[in-house]
Amino acid sequence: MVHAGKWIFAEFLRLAWNADRKVIAETIADIIQLEHSLIHELDGTPLILDQSVSAPEEILLLLNHAEGHKISKDKLTQLAKNNTPKSVATAISRLTTSNEIRTTGVAGEVALTPKGQKRVIEKVIPKLKR
């Protein structure tokens, strides 16, 4: 419910607020960041604060947080501070096989699917917020 409310409010701002597009985008990004207190973003670089997340969970959280829900595999490996590069590569492979993420057509880039986003919202975030 909270997720839907924040999304509706962000969409309302985007459509109705007559301000500079950059200010609107920054405000919406701040609202969205409140949704995931598990993620801290500094200078455009997200950090998953919970160190107990598995590699698949960390990847799903990072993709869910990313603009357009897309990131290159190399960037995911860099951002996944809580897991090793090998475990991230294995997780990307398994998440692709399970259709929770998919390639985008841009070399090396993956995107979150609705199935992956559902897992983040219904399983990963509730588990980590306990």
Side-chain angles (χ1 to χ4, degrees), residues 42-53:
L42 180 63
D43 298 328
T45 302
L47 173 68
I48 306 299
L49 298 176
D50 190 321
Q51 295 178 337
S52 69
V53 295

Side-chain angles (χ1 to χ4, degrees), residues 11-76:
E11 283 299 302
F12 171 76
L13 287 178
R14 185 179 68 80
L15 296 171
W17 194 9
N18 293 326
D20 180 53
R21 293 185 80 157
K22 184 176 180 182
V23 171
I24 295 169
E26 288 173 2
T27 303
I28 290 171
D30 289 342
I31 291 168
I32 291 169
Q33 180 149 338
L34 291 176
E35 173 188 339
H36 304 293
S37 59
L38 301 168
I39 299 173
H40 177 260
E41 188 168 323
L42 180 63
D43 298 328
T45 302
L47 173 68
I48 306 299
L49 298 176
D50 190 321
Q51 295 178 337
S52 69
V53 295
S54 66
E57 292 169 340
E58 189 168 22
I59 289 165
L60 290 171
L61 285 168
L62 288 167
L63 281 167
N64 192 58
H65 182 76
E67 186 176 335
H69 302 293
K70 302 183 273 189
I71 303 177
S72 73
K73 292 176 188 179
D74 291 339
K75 185 74 171 175
L76 273 174

